[in-house]
Amino acid sequence: MKFFSRGMVLFFAGTCWIGLGNYLLSSPADPNDAAQASLGKTIFDARCSPCHGISGKGDGAASALLNPRPRNFTSGMFKFRSTESGSLPTDDDLMTTVKNGLYGTAMSDWAPFITGDSLKAVVNYMKTFSARFQNEKPHPVHISSQIPSSAASIVAGKKVYAKLQCANCHGTDGAGAGVIAKDFKDNWDFETNAVNLIEPWTFRGGSSARDIYLRFRTGVDGTPMPSYAGTVSEKEMWDLANYVVSIGRKPVWKMNENEIREFYAKLDAQAKADPVERGKYLVRTIGCASCHSTYTDDLRLVEGTQLSGGLTFDLYPFGKYVARNLTSDMETGLGNWTDQEIKRAFTQGISRDGRKFLPFPMAWPAYASMKEDDQNAIVTYLRTVPAVHHKIPDPEKPNIFSYLWGKFRMLILKERIPSPAYPMKEATEQQPVSQISPSATKNFAARADREKEARP
Amino acid sequence: MKKILKWIAIGVVCLIVVGFIAFLYLIPPFDMLPREAFSQPHAAAVASSLDKINDPVERALAKRGQYIMSISDCNGCHTPQGDQGPNWDEYLAGGAKFEMIKPGTAHSRNLTPDKQTGLTRRTDEEVKRVLRSGVFHDGRIFEPTFMPWPAFTNMTEEDRHALVTYLRHIKPIKHDVPEWSPNSSAPLNSFYPYDYAEHEKKK
């Protein structure tokens, strides 16, 4: 026993003690950390999960209709950073995004509602979705001193725009004129567009020269926009930023009488010239897909079923109606319908076979006020939607007694049936909203495969 | 004589019953009316005059906003429903009741520029935030199946501005709409953020 001297025993004991102390200090059992994590989760679940999903995968209830899609935090890839291409964003970057929102997207500016500790907590919670944040450190870029905008700098910037072939994606005028590529996919397989450079209020990460400089310098990860670090000099990047700032046009809220008249005339002309784009815009903003899609039992839109119908409305005593398939499938969709028949259906509520729609939930009385050009645009766009084979059952009418009893309740007893809320109530209470047929599932899978193959 | 009277009485009763059933069967709601009965009042209500607006820019914006509003069918929920369709006198005054098991009961809001009960209480930014992100003035998020804000978010910022401009110029109607009441028996799903304010207070 002489081998272990008293000193050595003390030394070992001390080492263990220090080690234990270190362990305790660094352990996550720290009550402050736990409180912050729970606060972060509460805020995230309440405010972020409707779009980003409870598990941060970008698959929240609202996600299927949004363009661009909400960020998938599990991939650890972020678009708007002040760090090198491919690197993680700094905490400040994430906080800026939460505070200011992303202009031109559904991401709200949370500054009035999430501040101080709450902001830090939610950003820290967001970072737990990807393992990258534990293993890597962000590499902030060195931002060189800003070159103030001047006529010379703008001219130089224009040359850089040509040299870097920005026009290939953003168009010669910055607004997409004469582009060679329009249909981009991002790393998450969703459609993405080159930003319209003459509308600075839609620049996601802000429209100051510094913000624009950062987008060239860092790239927009996950999209075809690369980082130009090393390709051009720092001065050229600032010139380019000054040039992009200089080509921004006036938004409608700053226009005068003549400008706004010309602007709206131009929009109408554009809509006529490119009906597919206009139709896509109308179909998306009106939200055709919010009903003409398949939903799960807890009212989540099934990804990939957009516009192929399936949501059931139980409108007792008028029957059970299922939203129709609007894709260009010959048998189950609109493939066989003439333009006139489609227009009559959504403006007069008369189906191809002469069946009359109720005035709701299909809002054809509202669409009746649509301009002829817009009606044509919608038809043109719907023809371009890839066909999905999804057979929709015909409306189920109740038997005559049930129908009369329902009308009696409605007209004499003044019960409020059917009300727009009725189908939603039914759906969450008793029965699934709709069933996807096996053939439909197969078709969605096949469609996804086809789209994947078509991509380079 | 009595027999005849009896038969007449029976006949009358039968006629009344058959007549009532026929009345119930044939009375218009919805599927029996001509199509114009729905679309024309809609068009008439929507075409409220905007020519009184003095500022030509405001007028141009409001006219575009009006068109966007009418084709987006804001009426569908925000104009109160009567027995025979929307009550156009209360155009966009809100109040339609939506009862749902999970999130609770909500009433469509009053969109008219009334000072106490309408949208005048909210800034342009607050209204646009609702249309863009489904976030209420107090930070609550809409259930996306309530109001289809995930569709309206695809609107350009300029069209959204036009829409808000239009809402500032419609006829103000005083209509106090009940606030949201969450369903307390439903499991507290984190998706519905009514517990959030409490959490903030405790802090």
Side-chain angles (χ1 to χ4, degrees), chain A residues 80 101-105 174 195-208 211-212 215 241 244-245 247-248:
Chain A
F80 306 105
L102 296 173
Y103 310 100
T105 77
V195 166
N196 183 341
L197 293 178
I198 65 168
E199 295 181 351
W201 58 94
T202 65
F203 292 180
R204 315 287 193 244
S207 55
S208 71
D211 294 327
I212 297 166
R215 301 291 89 80
V244 171
V245 170
I247 60 173

Side-chain angles (χ1 to χ4, degrees), chain A residues 232-253:
Chain A
V232 287
S233 70
E234 287 288 324
K235 182 190 169 296
E236 284 175 308
M237 278 194 254
W238 282 113
D239 290 340
L240 187 53
N242 289 333
Y243 170 67
V244 171
V245 170
S246 76
I247 60 173
R249 71 167 169 86
K250 258 192 206 173
V252 284
W253 49 89

Side-chain angles (χ1 to χ4, degrees), chain A residues 8-20:
Chain A
M8 264 181 108
V9 170
L10 270 178
F11 173 75
F12 273 116
T15 320
C16 291
W17 194 235
I18 290 164
L20 185 64

Side-chain angles (χ1 to χ4, degrees), chain A residues 74-89:
Chain A
T74 59
S75 65
M77 195 187 275
F78 291 84
K79 290 179 179 171
F80 306 105
R81 296 158 291 105
S82 62
T83 59
E84 294 291 350
S85 179
S87 161
L88 290 173

Side-chain angles (χ1 to χ4, degrees), chain A residues 302-351:
Chain A
V302 179
E303 186 63 58
T305 66
Q306 285 95 331
L307 295 177
S308 65
L311 182 59
T312 305
F313 292 89
D314 192 346
L315 300 172
Y316 175 79
F318 300 99
K320 231 181 228 179
Y321 292 79
V322 187
R324 317 307 296 176
N325 182 351
L326 303 186
T327 68
S328 44
D329 189 62
M330 292 310 246
E331 195 193 325
T332 62
L334 299 181
N336 271 331
W337 292 42
T338 65
D339 289 5
Q340 282 310 321
E341 282 166 347
I342 299 177
K343 280 196 269 183
R344 189 177 70 162
F346 75 76
T347 58
Q348 297 172 43
I350 302 173
S351 184

Side-chain angles (χ1 to χ4, degrees), chain A residues 45 47 50 54 65 106-107 109 249 252 264 281 284 348-349 357 363 367 369 371 374 407 411 414 424, chain B residues 24-25 27 35 64 67 70-71 73 83 129 132-133 141 145 151 153-154 156 158-159 190-191 196:
Chain A
D45 288 355
R47 311 214 157 177
I54 292 282
L65 296 171
M107 174 68 186
D109 47 334
R249 71 167 169 86
V252 284
Y264 281 151
Y281 178 76
R284 280 185 176 173
Q348 297 172 43
F357 303 162
Y367 309 146
S369 57
K371 289 185 236 166
D374 284 350
K407 266 194 159 175
L411 297 169
K414 298 279 179 199
M424 294 191 191
Chain B
L24 267 187
Y25 186 77
I27 193 167
R35 304 283 89 185
R64 188 166 175 94
Y67 179 64
S70 83
I71 63 170
D73 194 35
D83 279 344
R129 196 183 286 127
R132 184 170 90 123
S133 316
I141 294 201
T145 43
T153 190
N154 292 313
T156 62
E158 292 179 312
D159 277 355
S190 49
F191 187 64
Y196 181 75

Side-chain angles (χ1 to χ4, degrees), chain A residues 199 201 249 251-253 255 257 259-272 274 277-279 281-282 285-286 366 369-371 373-374 377, chain B residues 46-51 53 55-74 91-92 131 154-170:
Chain A
E199 295 181 351
W201 58 94
R249 71 167 169 86
V252 284
W253 49 89
M255 286 183 183
E257 189 185 353
E259 284 167 338
I260 205 163
R261 194 184 307 117
E262 277 167 28
F263 177 69
Y264 281 151
K266 201 178 116 200
L267 281 193
D268 287 346
Q270 269 175 5
K272 210 165 189 172
D274 191 355
E277 203 53 41
R278 174 69 181 166
Y281 178 76
L282 286 169
T285 54
I286 292 170
S369 57
M370 200 179 279
K371 289 185 236 166
D373 284 348
D374 284 350
Chain B
V46 172
S48 62
S49 174
L50 295 173
D51 298 327
I53 304 172
D55 183 2
V57 175
E58 287 268 297
R59 193 165 58 226
L61 282 170
K63 279 193 173 160
R64 188 166 175 94
Q66 177 184 57
Y67 179 64
I68 296 166
M69 208 247 21
S70 83
I71 63 170
S72 303
D73 194 35
C74 304
Y91 180 59
L92 294 182
L131 290 166
N154 292 313
M155 228 178 255
T156 62
E157 196 63 34
E158 292 179 312
D159 277 355
R160 206 173 291 129
H161 180 79
L163 184 51
V164 175
T165 309
Y166 171 63
L167 289 179
R168 300 295 187 205
H169 288 288
I170 56 177

